[in-house]
Amino acid sequence: MVDTTGTGEPPEALTEVERGMWQAFRSGTVYDLSSGDQAVDDPHGGPAWGPERSVRARIVCWLLLDGPPALPGRVSALKLVGVQITDLLDLAGGTVVPYVEMKACRFEKEILLPEARFTTVRLVDCSIPRLEAARVHTEGDLHLPRCRFHKGIRLTDAQIGTDLLLNQAVVHRDRRGRSIMADGLTVGQDLQAEMLQAHGELSLRGAKIGVSLSLRGSRLANPEGRRALNAPQLTVERSLYLTPAGLGNPVLTSGTTPARGTRVQHFECLGGIRLDDGRFGDAVDLEQASFVMEHDQELSLRRIQTPELRFLGRRPERGRVVLSGARIVNLMDMAESWPGPGGLAMGGFAYENLVPRRSFPLARRLDWLAAATPEYNPEPYERLATVLRNSGEDADAREVLLAKQRRRRETLPLAAKLWGYVQDWTVAYGYRPGRAAVWMTVLWAVSAVAFSHADHPPLKGGGEHPEWNASLFALDLLLPVIDLGQDGYWKLHGGWQWAAAGLIIVGWILATTVAAGATRLLRRS
């Protein structure tokens, strides 16, 4: 069908409804076929729309690809409200210059936009069987808010110049179980998918977002698959938000803090999440997020890099949280958010600062490490001790290292385990040097009293010995290196010789422990 008039007037083959759309396109005005009855005008349900509200898809394509010139002083644009587009809308490979905006429209069949080029496209509150838009390119926005897609969206390798909006959209799964297939997607600014309902896997593998990716208040579900969000190697220049949205009028999203008393909708994910190797310029925010997983599913954050991880969601009842190899500057968390034993893995997890929300005592932090290491691994303990020491909490750092030794002890053979218990009970593996000093004081007092009853003839006669002093003699045996002038002048017999030898050995052990503890304290100061 070709316009042969040369004047821009609609061809005779158009229906009356299509003629109206033609003229509205030339003037750049809104072509509104809604009836004013909310129930009738609902594009997602209600009664069928007849010919009085229908236009053919090929006429829409004609206008967009090779439409008539605009009226003098006007800019041509396709702005439709309450219109039904019949047949297949195929703009694959085309270049569309006019502005496109369709609100509350129904599409009879899928929309094909592969490798098409647009300025800006806005489809708002429309009913669409499926959107095929692999490698589509827009100079401006692609807006799809409140639309319902019955067989998924494909945006593989698409390039969106500014914003991609999917707020309050409802997307059902395609034949492969995916709701949104957007691997390799590039968005110049924000990708907002707030209060999105995705019934199938949302795939963003290798996607690049120029500012932020917001899934505030969204609900992702993939009960028939392994993951609800599959986004390895995702790059977000600012922040990823998996946080609540306020349910009001208007809906409070995009960082707005709901007023007290406002009902909120939390981010909820039914299925696993994979963000492995992601790069996030500001933060990954999981505040109040809910993760409902099966035992074989994961919230996987392997090797992600971000200045801040806000792990403030609800504790997963099943599945695992995996932080292995992740590199974080600030870890903001709550004790109530972390899973229990067997539900956490963080080998090689590096973080520099802990910023706990609410009370997070050291005992619960040690439980956090134990949950992450069902089999003994020293690295998480050493990492936590380093972070605590760098923040000036030396006593807590020593407690963490003591807990590490106690976990290690359980992996040792019986003899080494028994020796470990002795070290723990006596000197706490050297991490409580004050305990060693107390033991030395007690042993000195006991041995002084004991040696006061010992038979102690001098080794040499003729008065070549000091005056016997049981207290100094016991202290001389107990303190290595230091000579108090008592040891070596007296001859002990029988059990007293063994007592003296034992006191010398214990003295060496305790003195070495005290010295090691003092050295650690001086090094940290």
Side-chain angles (χ1 to χ4, degrees):
M1 185 182 296
V2 179
D3 177 15
T4 59
T5 66
T7 62
E9 293 301 316
E12 294 181 0
L14 300 189
T15 66
E16 190 64 31
V17 176
E18 292 167 349
R19 286 173 177 271
M21 179 178 65
W22 183 284
Q23 296 293 2
F25 174 82
R26 294 191 66 196
S27 63
T29 56
V30 175
Y31 189 52
D32 189 348
L33 295 181
S34 58
S35 66
D37 186 325
Q38 186 174 0
V40 173
D41 292 335
D42 182 5
H44 312 296
W49 294 351
E52 73 283 357
R53 297 183 65 165
S54 300
V55 298
R56 289 170 288 177
R58 62 187 180 123
I59 305 304
V60 174
C61 294
W62 183 5
L63 290 174
L64 294 177
L65 295 174
D66 193 22
L71 295 175
R74 308 303 293 267
V75 177
S76 59
L78 186 65
K79 302 177 182 179
L80 305 180
V81 177
V83 177
Q84 178 170 263
I85 294 89
T86 62
D87 300 324
L88 183 69
L89 183 65
D90 188 353
L91 291 166
T95 298
V96 178
V97 176
Y99 171 83
V100 181
E101 181 175 274
M102 301 185 189
K103 295 181 178 180
C105 292
R106 286 181 181 174
F107 289 81
E108 185 180 68
K109 296 184 178 180
E110 64 184 34
I111 301 175
L112 300 181
L113 305 180
E115 301 191 34
R117 301 181 70 88
F118 294 85
T119 50
T120 292
V121 181
R122 289 191 172 97
L123 305 179
V124 180
D125 197 23
C126 294
S127 178
I128 305 169
R130 177 172 172 80
L131 175 61
E132 279 280 355
R135 297 175 298 283
V136 72
H137 184 283
T138 69
E139 295 178 13
D141 298 338
L142 174 58
H143 287 191
L144 304 169
R146 300 195 301 282
C147 289
R148 295 189 183 181
F149 301 88
H150 307 291
K151 296 181 181 179
I153 300 174
R154 184 180 180 88
L155 287 167
T156 306
D157 297 318
Q159 297 184 45
I160 310 303
T162 49
D163 296 333
L164 171 59
L165 265 61
L166 285 160
N167 296 343
Q168 296 177 272
V170 179
V171 189
H172 294 275
R173 63 200 303 269
D174 60 15
R175 294 176 300 174
R176 298 183 178 179
R178 297 187 178 96
S179 57
I180 301 175
M181 182 69 173
D183 297 346
L185 169 71
T186 300
V187 179
Q189 296 184 15
D190 290 317
L191 195 171
Q192 293 186 16
E194 298 172 347
M195 299 185 71
L196 167 74
Q197 293 185 41
H199 302 276
E201 183 182 284
L202 169 54
S203 184
L204 290 167
R205 294 184 298 177
K208 297 180 180 179
I209 312 301
V211 183
S212 293
L213 168 55
S214 176
L215 286 161
R216 292 183 176 94
S218 293
R219 293 178 173 174
L220 312 182
N222 188 20
E224 299 180 13
R226 184 174 178 81
R227 300 183 184 94
L229 175 58
N230 187 22
Q233 298 181 327
L234 172 66
T235 300
V236 179
E237 294 298 327
R238 297 290 296 275
S239 297
L240 168 63
Y241 296 101
L242 307 182
T243 55
L247 297 176
N249 191 14
V251 174
L252 300 175
T253 57
S254 299
T256 305
T257 302
R260 183 178 297 275
T262 301
R263 190 164 64 94
V264 300
Q265 179 170 300
H266 300 284
F267 172 84
E268 183 177 297
C269 184
L270 179 61
I273 291 183
R274 184 185 180 199
L275 295 172
D276 299 350
D277 301 296
R279 301 292 183 268
F280 306 91
D282 284 352
V284 175
D285 193 345
L286 310 180
E287 185 161 5
Q288 300 185 51
S290 177
F291 305 101
V292 181
M293 299 180 286
E294 298 301 324
H295 292 289
D296 61 342
Q297 294 176 331
E298 296 178 342
L299 168 55
S300 180
L301 304 172
R302 290 176 173 87
R303 299 176 299 280
I304 70 165
Q305 295 185 23
T306 181
E308 186 163 283
L309 172 61
R310 300 168 193 159
F311 199 88
L312 303 168
R314 301 177 181 181
R315 172 180 295 166
E317 298 297 328
R318 296 182 299 275
R320 291 203 313 159
V321 175
V322 183
L323 283 160
S324 302
R327 301 183 67 84
I328 310 296
V329 178
N330 297 322
L331 175 59
M332 183 181 296
D333 63 348
M334 296 189 302
E336 299 82 6
S337 296
W338 295 105
L344 179 61
M346 53 184 189
F349 175 36
Y351 52 96
E352 298 180 18
N353 303 298
L354 288 172
V355 188
R357 179 82 62 88
R358 303 176 189 168
S359 174
F360 205 146
L362 182 62
R364 298 197 68 176
R365 187 65 76 179
L366 292 175
D367 291 340
W368 175 64
L369 290 184
T373 54
E375 296 183 359
Y376 171 68
N377 181 3
E379 192 274 335
Y381 288 89
E382 292 167 359
R383 168 62 57 181
L384 177 58
T386 299
V387 170
L388 292 173
R389 187 181 302 122
N390 291 341
S391 61
E393 300 177 46
D394 285 351
D396 285 350
R398 290 195 296 273
E399 289 297 319
V400 172
L401 293 174
L402 176 57
K404 181 192 79 168
Q405 291 293 344
R406 288 169 173 168
R407 284 292 306 277
R408 175 178 175 272
R409 181 176 66 207
E410 302 307 314
T411 67
L412 299 176
L414 180 59
K417 186 181 296 185
L418 293 175
W419 174 239
Y421 278 111
V422 172
Q423 288 184 292
D424 192 359
W425 184 60
T426 54
V427 295
Y429 287 97
Y431 291 109
R432 294 176 185 169
R435 182 184 292 184
V438 170
W439 274 108
M440 290 188 72
T441 302
V442 170
L443 286 173
W444 173 54
V446 171
S447 58
V449 172
F451 283 123
S452 65
H453 299 88
D455 185 20
H456 51 276
L459 290 173
K460 299 180 180 179
E464 297 183 12
H465 56 79
E467 183 179 350
W468 168 257
N469 187 315
S471 297
L472 287 178
F473 180 75
L475 192 60
D476 209 357
L477 295 175
L478 193 60
L479 294 179
V481 181
I482 300 175
D483 185 3
L484 299 180
Q486 286 287 328
D487 184 23
Y489 290 94
W490 312 101
K491 184 178 181 181
L492 302 178
H493 300 280
W496 295 111
Q497 286 183 314
W498 288 103
L503 194 61
I504 292 172
I505 294 172
V506 172
W508 271 101
I509 294 174
L510 293 178
T512 303
T513 301
V514 172
T519 301
R520 280 193 293 270
L521 289 173
L522 291 172
R523 186 183 301 120
R524 282 192 286 271
S525 62

